[in-house]
Amino acid sequence: MNAPTKTPSLFHLLDPEVLADPYPLYARLRAETPVLWDPYLHAWVVTRYADVVEVLTTFSANRTPTPDKLVELGMENLTPLARIMVAQMLFLDRPAHGRVRRLAAVAFTPRRIEELAAHIQGITDSLVDAVAGRGHMDVMAELANPLPAIVTAEMLGVPTSDHEMLKKWSTDFAEMLGNFQHNPGRTAQVLRSVDEMTCYFRDAIRAQAAHPTDGLVNALTNAEIDGDRLTEDEVVANVIVTMVGGQETTTNLIGNGLLTLLRHPAALQQLRADPTLMPSAVEELLRFESPSQHTARLAPRDTSIAGRPIEKGQAVIAVMGAANRDPDRFPDPNRVDLCRSDNRHLAFGWAAHFCFGAPLARMEAAAAFAAVLSRLPDLSLVPEPLVWRPNLGLRGLQAMRVRWSV
Ligand code: HEM
């Protein structure tokens, strides 16, 4: 348990002990200071379900500094990153957000998701086949990392042989998205990745104009509503947010979900015995160890949340990971209940920015859990300390070694 005497701040997530189990900190914040001015982060931190919903519904998503602002702040080296982020749907408000999201929805149809579904099972089976006879594996390195990376390449319509490169770029980009403070020592590498992936997707757009492939790169380039289309810069920016959004998080859902099942053997047994529970199990695992723990918004005007005054332009961190354990919303929230009804968790966000890839993420996780549970008997964790990745927003393990009988 974490020492309750510490000054309340989300910054304590940097402490490995808190990172391993942030829920006592969240419980304390929800109970004592549900709308907290966090002096270390210079932002409000909101942890109750109702308040997180309010922030995600009514506050501004337009929170990334513009290239001009960065120059003003003497951080012009980061402008290539900002140029991409300002065009990504994740950081747009109405009406610009609706325009990009509608064009993206034209490109990412239910039919396309169904086509990917057929491949997901095959990719999962081949990854599990490769280790089944060995009796042990690192879930992260051998399943949770490669599965979303390969599916993402298919989704984009680029060669699946490039999946390791896509993974590396996504990890670098996610480092900037998921952390309160980026590591200046890593900036050069992150900027190199931004440059490489921008060139890669520009080349892909041009190559696919001559030889179209099924996939989001080509579909976004050609998506059209009443004569309106995305510019090449907008296509590149939104291919990148989809690629990044689709990997780190899905990797962590697979890893965190399997860890939760292994830590709750009765639930694991229940799911093994009744695979029809899978859809509600995936929702409960998303709620219980949310891969995306928090996101941020700006106050659109002087306002208040739960009686605390918030000034226009102040940042608010909405902690979905805490809201998903709020006892006022979820009875017995620290219990894993694979049959939980009324489970409208916030792991995929809420309202206009609700995750664009949720159906795909759910399918990948269900395929991974089903393959592992049905193929690897007596699965258990190798008894050794678990190391959580130091990305504070995107919660996931560095490695997770498991073993089973062969
Ligand atoms: C378990 C896996 C996933 C989790 C937990 C997750 C979580 C989220 C969350 C919390 C948001 C909202 C962020 C905010 O409001 O600030 C979001 C948005 C988004 N996600 Fe996901 N995501 C997952 C998988 C995916 C996949 C597979 C894709 C790609 C196909 C994807 C693409 C996106 C995009 C493009 C947005 C921005 C939507 C918008 O701004 O309108 N995500 N995701």
Side-chain angles (χ1 to χ4, degrees), residues 9-329:
S9 167
L10 216 52
F11 207 60
H12 293 313
L13 288 173
L14 288 173
D15 173 349
E17 228 181 276
V18 180
L19 191 58
D21 181 12
Y23 303 106
L25 170 68
Y26 292 164
R28 184 182 169 205
L29 292 176
R30 270 194 321 264
E32 293 174 15
T33 43
V35 182
L36 166 81
W37 174 253
D38 193 318
Y40 300 100
L41 303 179
H42 209 73
W44 293 93
V45 173
V46 169
T47 42
R48 284 187 181 162
Y49 184 94
D51 297 335
V52 170
V53 165
E54 184 183 339
V55 168
L56 295 184
T57 310
T58 61
F59 279 43
S60 168
N62 183 350
R63 58 195 180 281
T64 186
T66 60
D68 288 348
K69 182 78 194 163
L70 285 174
V71 172
E72 204 182 300
L73 295 171
M75 298 163 80
E76 49 277 323
N77 63 329
L78 292 179
T79 53
L81 189 66
R83 261 197 297 277
I84 292 174
M85 288 169 74
V86 291
Q88 292 181 329
M89 61 176 110
L90 189 57
F91 302 107
L92 296 175
D93 281 336
R94 251 186 329 204
H97 173 261
R99 169 182 169 263
V100 176
R101 178 109 183 189
R102 278 191 297 276
L103 283 160
V106 167
F108 199 49
T109 57
R111 183 185 66 82
R112 183 71 192 130
I113 297 176
E114 277 312 308
E115 282 165 9
L116 286 172
H119 295 185
I120 288 171
Q121 198 59 57
I123 299 165
T124 311
D125 287 344
S126 67
L127 290 168
V128 174
D129 277 348
V131 296
R134 198 209 285 158
H136 62 91
M137 74 162 156
D138 173 359
V139 169
M140 304 313 291
E142 294 175 281
L143 179 63
N145 285 334
L147 174 61
I150 298 168
V151 173
T152 300
E154 288 223 356
M155 172 186 74
L156 298 178
V158 297
T160 49
S161 52
D162 289 346
H163 79 266
E164 283 176 12
M165 203 160 64
L166 303 184
K167 174 76 195 168
K168 190 189 158 304
W169 291 334
S170 298
T171 307
D172 285 346
F173 202 86
E175 191 177 310
M176 305 300 275
L177 289 182
N179 279 323
F180 301 129
Q181 294 192 322
H182 65 268
N183 175 353
R186 292 266 301 138
T187 306
Q189 174 55 44
V190 171
L191 289 170
R192 227 179 352 262
S193 282
V194 167
D195 186 45
E196 284 169 13
M197 67 178 136
T198 307
C199 292
Y200 176 89
F201 288 122
R202 282 195 201 292
D203 287 350
I205 290 169
R206 286 165 199 165
Q208 294 195 11
H211 305 285
T213 61
D214 255 356
L216 205 60
V217 170
N218 192 46
L220 275 178
T221 309
N222 293 305
E224 186 176 325
I225 299 177
D226 298 334
D228 183 24
R229 291 163 81 121
L230 297 173
T231 63
E232 186 177 284
D233 283 349
E234 288 175 320
V235 173
V236 170
N238 286 286
V239 161
I240 291 174
V241 75
T242 312
M243 172 183 80
V244 177
Q247 289 199 63
E248 218 58 20
T249 48
T250 312
T251 290
N252 292 339
L253 172 56
I254 296 169
N256 299 354
L258 279 174
L259 176 68
T260 301
L261 289 172
L262 288 164
R263 283 174 161 175
H264 298 85
L268 187 147
Q269 210 32 55
Q270 188 187 16
L271 187 55
R272 248 195 192 130
D274 182 2
T276 66
L277 287 179
M278 188 59 84
S280 86
V282 170
E283 297 313 304
E284 179 66 345
L285 297 171
L286 275 159
R287 182 192 71 82
F288 194 77
E289 280 285 12
S290 305
S292 183
Q293 289 274 300
H294 53 75
T295 184
R297 293 289 188 271
L298 299 181
R301 59 186 168 278
D302 287 349
T303 181
S304 66
I305 306 174
R308 298 292 304 267
I310 316 267
E311 283 171 30
K312 178 178 176 178
Q314 282 185 326
V316 180
I317 299 173
V319 190
M320 291 92 76
N324 284 341
R325 301 276 192 118
D326 184 345
D328 287 343
R329 179 61 184 81

